[in-house]
Amino acid sequence: MDQNSTQPARRTLLKGAAAVSALAATSLSAPSALAVGRPAAVPLAARRLTLPSGISMGDVSSDSAVLWSRASGPGRLHAALRLLDADGRELRGRHGRTLHLRGSRASAATDFTAKIDARRLPAGARLAVELHFEDEHGRRSEIGRGAFSTAPARGHGRGHGRWDDSGPQSFVWTADTAGQGYGINEEIGGMRGYAAMHATRPDFFLHSGDTIYADGPISAQMKEPDGTIWRNVVTEEVSKVAETLNEYRGRHRYNMMDANLRAMYAEVPVIAQWDDHETVNNWYPGEILDDPQYTVRDVDTLAARGRRAWQEYMPIADRRALRPGTGFEPTRIYRHVERGPHLDLFALDMRSHKSPNTDGKEAEQTRILGEEQLQWLIRSLRSSRATWKVIGNDLPLGLIVPDGEGQESIANADHGKPLGRELELARLLSAIKKHRIKNVVFLTGDVHYCAAHHYSPDRAAFRDFNPFWEFVAGPINAGSFGPNELDLTFGPKVDFQQAGPPLGSPRSGEHQYFGHVDVAGDGSEFTVKLINANGKVQYSRTLTPQR
């Protein structure tokens, strides 16, 4: 089997098929490719509902997934799931029954978005999905079609004293969509970075924040650094900074107008994080803006609106679909997604609990995670039995990111002992060492270039930790810049970095980046590649686990 393949083994399919059969009902017609034409605006009335933003899946584990779509008017979301064989064909006979699910209602209160919390799914299986809405008269909308793979079962692997082959997995990660005024340019094929990620056939996508740029107006055309004119698709909501709830929602609607993004989301589940641009650049709780673009200056008000829109549009569990053990609650974004015996992913929230952007040199600890999230992360890492533990940190660990006279980053440009926010990171790294937590890898974005950093106590001012890797990717459709300087407190060393020109355009694709990870079926290798939007590999490194 090709290493990037998302198709499960035949024996896994048959086991999964039996699980679906026990829950299933009547079969529907076979799925076809998702239509990806540009969606129309939501009409006030329609004889038949449409799906103007396509479909998506999120937080897919061994046995669960969140299914998402948006309707053109009020209606209830419905899903039909069917097993596919190794060649992508629908299974027939006793293994070919259909699982029907009903989700939440789409209404004006949710901007006509809705979700389904799908549980008890078969592990290690490829599933075709059809989503549609039914209006108050029982009329069925158009059907959105896609597919996704559940993670391998967790009943074997390292924690059970064996290194079983549960099937390889792959995933991609990046950040920064539609930033610095670079939106959907149909002259170059739209957001081509999403097509490049999709072409690698990943099992899921970790979006490391800046899923939108609510603070960056998008105009019909703008001049690129070399004088070329960049032409955007535009909507009313993206023409100014977002302040109202509808303007924040409009940013998400805008991104999902891109055919490449919608095509990928229909087949590649998303694990979404948020960072600053979902609200406003470099924000922190309690901040009051001094920016003439804004009539609403209270950042907490803007963040609440941005958070609501983000949660409506991201395929993550909401108030109506909570269950113990997922690590997600209505008041928190950080969570743990189990991906079989060899991979656990911990998606952090480094924005909601952040302390103000001072110079970062306080003798006492200041916040980047907050105490509750820090303790959750340590407990979750300790209890993880997966071979590889991936931490998605939406802000880099050792890169210096100034914010005026303060620091947006964890790092404070001091290079000495930990201070301010660095004290929180020091506690995390010390706990990982103390509890003998092995094979932790950090993945991040934010800084608009790609890099590989190795951290070692042999080079550090602070030494109570084990060596580890951090890989950086992005932007995927935004201006390029960098590289940033490293703070030496935790002993980072650049193994690789590549950056485009300041505010460089996505036009060529050469300086838009994503990362791709292959996890061997037995967990014996963790291969990271940094790739540009033209599909060219810029860097590759294979890690092997400590046992």
Side-chain angles (χ1 to χ4, degrees):
M1 183 184 295
D2 183 84
Q3 192 172 17
N4 289 337
S5 175
T6 58
Q7 307 299 339
R10 177 69 178 170
R11 66 179 186 273
T12 305
L13 279 167
L14 292 177
K15 286 170 62 181
V20 167
S21 295
L23 297 168
T26 307
S27 179
L28 297 178
S29 58
S32 61
L34 176 72
V36 292
R38 189 200 290 186
V42 176
L44 294 176
R47 295 178 59 186
R48 184 180 185 226
L49 295 175
T50 61
L51 279 57
S53 297
I55 69 172
S56 66
M57 294 74 66
D59 287 8
V60 175
S61 67
S62 299
D63 62 357
S64 65
V66 177
L67 313 178
W68 177 96
S69 190
R70 172 173 164 261
S72 57
R76 184 181 290 277
L77 181 62
H78 293 258
L81 301 177
R82 288 179 302 279
L83 277 164
L84 302 176
D85 66 17
D87 296 317
R89 295 186 295 256
E90 181 184 347
L91 288 174
R92 300 292 182 175
R94 67 187 182 90
H95 297 306
R97 305 291 293 281
T98 301
L99 173 62
H100 291 278
L101 300 170
R102 189 174 74 165
S104 60
R105 287 190 177 277
S107 68
T110 64
D111 205 27
F112 303 106
T113 64
K115 301 175 186 178
I116 293 174
D117 183 31
R119 312 184 196 181
R120 294 187 294 170
L121 301 179
R126 185 73 174 167
L127 295 165
V129 58
E130 291 184 345
L131 295 181
H132 73 271
F133 288 86
E134 286 188 3
D135 66 18
E136 60 182 351
H137 302 293
R139 291 178 298 214
R140 182 173 294 193
S141 72
E142 68 171 319
I143 298 174
R145 295 181 172 91
F148 67 96
S149 296
T150 54
R154 296 186 63 86
H156 54 276
R158 176 175 176 268
H160 292 257
R162 299 188 292 160
W163 288 79
D164 295 339
D165 189 334
S166 61
Q169 291 188 74
S170 71
F171 66 94
V172 290
W173 92 93
T174 191
D176 314 308
T177 301
Q180 288 71 52
Y182 293 107
I184 301 169
N185 185 343
E186 294 187 332
E187 291 183 347
I188 66 166
M191 297 184 187
R192 295 186 294 114
Y194 279 88
M197 288 193 291
H198 194 185
T200 68
R201 301 174 66 195
D203 290 297
F204 66 92
F205 167 39
L206 172 65
H207 200 311
S208 301
D210 295 339
T211 54
I212 60 169
Y213 271 71
D215 56 337
I218 295 175
S219 58
Q221 61 182 48
M222 59 182 282
K223 185 177 291 187
E224 300 173 48
D226 66 357
T228 303
I229 300 301
W230 176 277
R231 291 180 172 83
N232 287 308
V233 173
V234 293
T235 65
E236 180 181 352
E237 289 82 10
V238 303
S239 65
K240 63 179 288 293
V241 297
E243 298 180 88
T244 68
L245 177 58
N246 183 58
E247 288 166 348
Y248 280 107
R249 287 167 166 171
R251 289 286 172 160
H252 294 280
R253 293 195 296 264
Y254 177 82
N255 285 1
M256 300 193 82
M257 291 171 65
D258 181 71
N260 301 304
L261 186 153
R262 289 201 319 282
M264 177 174 161
Y265 276 26
E267 294 189 337
V268 181
V270 183
I271 299 175
Q273 297 176 268
W274 81 333
D275 192 23
D276 54 339
H277 292 291
E278 283 82 0
T279 302
V280 63
N281 186 45
N282 293 353
W283 75 274
Y284 51 83
E287 183 181 7
I288 302 298
L289 296 179
D290 181 16
D291 185 335
Q293 295 183 97
Y294 286 86
T295 58
V296 180
R297 304 293 178 90
D298 175 37
V299 167
D300 288 353
T301 298
L302 295 173
R305 293 169 182 170
R307 164 67 188 270
R308 176 172 173 178
W310 183 87
Q311 190 163 324
E312 288 171 344
Y313 275 82
M314 294 298 111
I316 59 176
D318 61 18
R319 288 177 175 83
R320 295 171 296 280
L322 298 176
R323 59 192 186 276
T326 60
F328 182 81
E329 297 171 357
T331 56
R332 85 186 201 197
I333 289 171
Y334 58 89
R335 60 208 189 275
H336 171 202
V337 180
E338 297 180 344
R339 293 288 310 179
H342 299 301
L343 179 62
D344 272 353
L345 191 138
F346 305 88
L348 302 185
D349 175 4
M350 304 176 81
R351 188 59 52 180
S352 299
H353 313 285
K354 195 171 187 275
S355 58
N357 287 349
T358 65
D359 65 6
K361 298 177 183 179
E362 297 89 347
E364 68 279 4
Q365 176 183 295
T366 54
R367 299 181 310 279
I368 192 70
L369 299 175
E371 191 64 23
E372 182 178 336
Q373 183 175 189
L374 176 62
Q375 293 304 321
W376 164 84
L377 180 57
I378 293 170
R379 288 194 308 271
S380 299
L381 288 168
R382 290 184 65 185
S383 64
S384 172
R385 304 175 76 182
T387 305
W388 296 99
K389 302 156 190 72
V390 172
I391 298 177
N393 45 302
D394 47 285
L395 287 171
L397 302 182
L399 287 173
I400 301 166
V401 185
D403 180 28
E405 296 181 358
Q407 295 292 342
E408 158 73 354
S409 52
I410 300 173
N412 59 16
D414 180 73
H415 306 297
K417 66 180 183 180
L419 297 169
R421 294 171 183 156
E422 293 176 334
L423 288 165
E424 205 174 58
L425 177 58
R427 290 174 60 199
L428 171 62
L429 297 179
S430 294
I432 290 172
K433 177 181 178 181
K434 175 183 176 181
H435 298 297
R436 300 180 182 180
I437 301 167
K438 299 177 181 178
N439 309 319
V440 177
V441 180
F442 292 83
L443 302 180
T444 190
D446 184 65
V447 288
H448 295 239
Y449 69 98
C450 66
H453 301 146
H454 183 258
Y455 291 75
S456 174
D458 295 338
R459 299 185 293 265
F462 175 78
R463 295 174 177 250
D464 186 24
F465 69 99
N466 294 324
F468 66 91
W469 285 89
E470 177 188 51
F471 299 96
V472 186
I476 196 60
N477 196 89
S480 62
F481 40 85
N484 293 42
E485 295 294 323
L486 280 165
D487 184 304
L488 303 181
T489 297
F490 299 101
K493 179 182 178 181
V494 174
D495 190 57
F496 172 83
Q497 63 184 20
Q498 188 174 104
L503 297 181
S505 164
R507 183 180 295 275
S508 72
E510 289 296 304
H511 300 295
Q512 305 289 291
Y513 303 105
F514 65 95
H516 185 281
V517 175
D518 282 303
V519 182
D522 62 356
S524 61
E525 292 186 341
F526 185 97
T527 300
V528 180
K529 297 176 182 177
L530 298 175
I531 306 173
N532 71 17
N534 296 320
K536 297 177 183 177
V537 176
Q538 308 298 300
Y539 168 88
S540 180
R541 175 168 288 276
T542 297
L543 309 181
T544 56
Q546 293 180 287
R547 306 196 180 192

